[in-house]
Amino acid sequence: MLDLKNPLSQQQAMEAFFFGYQAFTAKADEMLERRGLSRVHQRIVFFIARYPNLSVKELLALLGVSKQALNMPLRQLLEMHLVESVASETDKRKRLLELTAEGARFEQALRREQVKLLERVFAEAGETAVNGWLAVNLALGESQAHTD
Amino acid sequence: MLDLKNPLSQQQAMEAFFFGYQAFTAKADEMLERRGLSRVHQRIVFFIARYPNLSVKELLALLGVSKQALNMPLRQLLEMHLVESVASETDKRKRLLELTAEGARFEQALRREQVKLLERVFAEAGETAVNGWLAVNLALGESQAHTD
DNA sequence: TTTTAAGGTCAAGCATATTGACGTATCCGT
DNA sequence: ACGGATACGTCAATATGCTTGACCTTAAAA
């Protein structure tokens, strides 16, 4: 079992996380590259799918980048008609972001590949392991969630 | 529990992985920035610590970057006397990489911060969860390990 | 001895991120 | 109604990191 007092165990855990994350993103990165897009584009459509009617400001907070860094890829997605931006009814300064039908298909295609990988790993590692994996990742995220 | 058939569960898992990995690297990134270094520098010293007497070629394979991309940060680490490069006895073309005493301290300081975070999360999520987290990350990494 | 492998470096190009500065539209408190 | 704050978008300059291509030295292997 994992013993975090042991330097070798620490290194193993960190290495596994590094390669695990890399493997998780590899397939989607490849698909994105074929369309001339990058990981930021996926993150954008991912968060819009996860949080419909997301405002630009909220998206910026989730991504943790400057608005100038978001500008270019978001504009590309708008021009490709994968994302739509509509002024909010209640606050007309806000632009609420939505996926178009094609954008939704695109996001799902990327996500499906990643989920397929998780499913393969699920079969290998077992349900308990996958639930633990999720629990630890959630806890890690929480540890950082309110640092802004 | 995690149901990978459910799109919402899929999104939750992916989001958790994204923020989890971000949280995991945040503290070390901060420490690196204070020394004018970046995440690549940590990866270099990390892999040298994990695999002593690593050759440059092996390091390149682990990092998955071009040798030109490695050149600059590795040279910096050599000039800062955090890393040493010695010609292999058995094959004098090869340069085996080692950490200096100071380099070892540096790598440990970065790792310690990340392990501290894992320990906090360990307490929260429980041993079973942590073992599952490790098992899934290992399996993910394995799925990709021999793709080069 | 010719070829291959390991390592190092220079150059050009591209992508992505940053900060700073502006401009416009809209909301909100007084 | 006015003035400040907020949301968004964009231009510019800059830094960084990574890529491919080319070239060189040294050393091992065929």
Side-chain angles (χ1 to χ4, degrees):
Chain A
M1 77 137 229
L2 181 59
D3 170 21
L4 285 180
K5 298 296 169 207
N6 178 349
L8 260 164
S9 271
Q10 297 173 0
Q11 290 171 335
Q12 183 198 25
M14 291 172 60
E15 188 185 39
F17 206 8
F18 172 63
F19 286 123
Y21 192 75
Q22 195 167 274
F24 184 68
T25 58
K27 186 78 185 180
D29 283 348
E30 205 181 280
M31 293 173 66
L32 286 157
E33 203 182 350
R34 275 198 289 273
R35 297 189 62 149
L37 300 176
S38 73
R39 208 179 285 184
V40 193
H41 296 92
Q42 179 184 15
R43 287 184 186 149
I44 294 171
V45 294
F46 173 79
F47 281 121
I48 295 175
R50 174 129 175 74
Y51 303 106
N53 292 324
L54 197 65
S55 75
V56 172
K57 194 190 183 186
E58 290 164 337
L59 179 56
L60 284 173
L62 287 168
L63 295 174
V65 298
S66 65
K67 64 175 173 175
Q68 293 90 334
L70 175 60
N71 191 297
M72 176 80 88
L74 179 54
R75 194 166 51 196
Q76 289 170 334
L77 291 171
L78 290 165
E79 283 166 4
M80 293 170 80
H81 300 103
L82 297 175
V83 171
E84 266 177 355
S85 160
V86 276
S88 162
E89 281 301 313
T90 61
D91 184 343
K92 288 174 185 165
R93 292 172 304 178
K94 291 188 185 171
R95 298 301 142 97
L96 305 186
L97 302 171
E98 296 171 2
L99 296 182
T100 64
E102 196 195 339
R105 277 195 299 275
F106 177 55
E107 191 276 331
Q108 279 162 32
L110 293 170
R111 176 152 44 87
R112 183 159 40 242
E113 286 303 321
Q114 304 197 270
V115 168
K116 266 170 61 182
L117 180 55
L118 285 185
E119 278 169 345
R120 238 178 297 153
V121 161
F122 183 106
E124 196 173 322
E127 179 181 327
T128 305
V130 175
N131 287 327
W133 174 81
L134 177 62
V136 170
N137 284 335
L138 282 172
L140 280 172
E142 266 311 302
S143 78
Q144 183 77 351
H146 311 295
T147 309
D148 303 311
Chain B
M1 76 138 229
L2 182 57
D3 168 23
L4 285 180
K5 297 296 169 207
N6 178 349
L8 260 164
S9 270
Q10 296 173 1
Q11 290 172 335
Q12 183 198 25
M14 290 172 61
E15 187 184 37
F17 206 11
F18 172 64
F19 286 123
Y21 192 75
Q22 194 167 275
F24 183 67
T25 58
K27 186 79 184 179
D29 283 348
E30 204 181 282
M31 294 173 66
L32 287 157
E33 202 181 351
R34 276 198 288 274
R35 298 189 60 149
L37 301 176
S38 72
R39 207 178 288 185
V40 193
H41 296 92
Q42 179 185 15
R43 286 185 187 149
I44 294 171
V45 293
F46 174 80
F47 281 121
I48 296 175
R50 174 130 175 78
Y51 303 106
N53 292 326
L54 197 65
S55 76
V56 172
K57 195 191 183 187
E58 290 164 337
L59 178 56
L60 284 173
L62 287 168
L63 296 174
V65 298
S66 65
K67 65 175 174 176
Q68 293 90 334
L70 174 61
N71 191 297
M72 175 80 87
L74 180 54
R75 194 166 51 195
Q76 289 170 335
L77 291 171
L78 290 165
E79 283 166 4
M80 294 169 81
H81 300 103
L82 297 175
V83 171
E84 268 177 355
S85 160
V86 275
S88 163
E89 280 302 312
T90 60
D91 183 344
K92 288 174 185 167
R93 291 172 305 177
K94 290 187 185 174
R95 297 302 143 95
L96 305 186
L97 302 171
E98 297 172 1
L99 296 182
T100 64
E102 196 196 338
R105 277 195 300 275
F106 177 55
E107 191 275 331
Q108 279 163 33
L110 293 169
R111 175 152 45 87
R112 183 158 42 242
E113 286 303 321
Q114 304 198 269
V115 168
K116 266 169 61 182
L117 180 55
L118 286 185
E119 279 169 343
R120 238 178 296 154
V121 162
F122 182 106
E124 196 174 321
E127 179 180 329
T128 306
V130 175
N131 288 327
W133 174 82
L134 177 62
V136 169
N137 284 334
L138 283 172
L140 281 172
E142 266 310 303
S143 78
Q144 182 77 350
H146 310 296
T147 310
D148 305 310

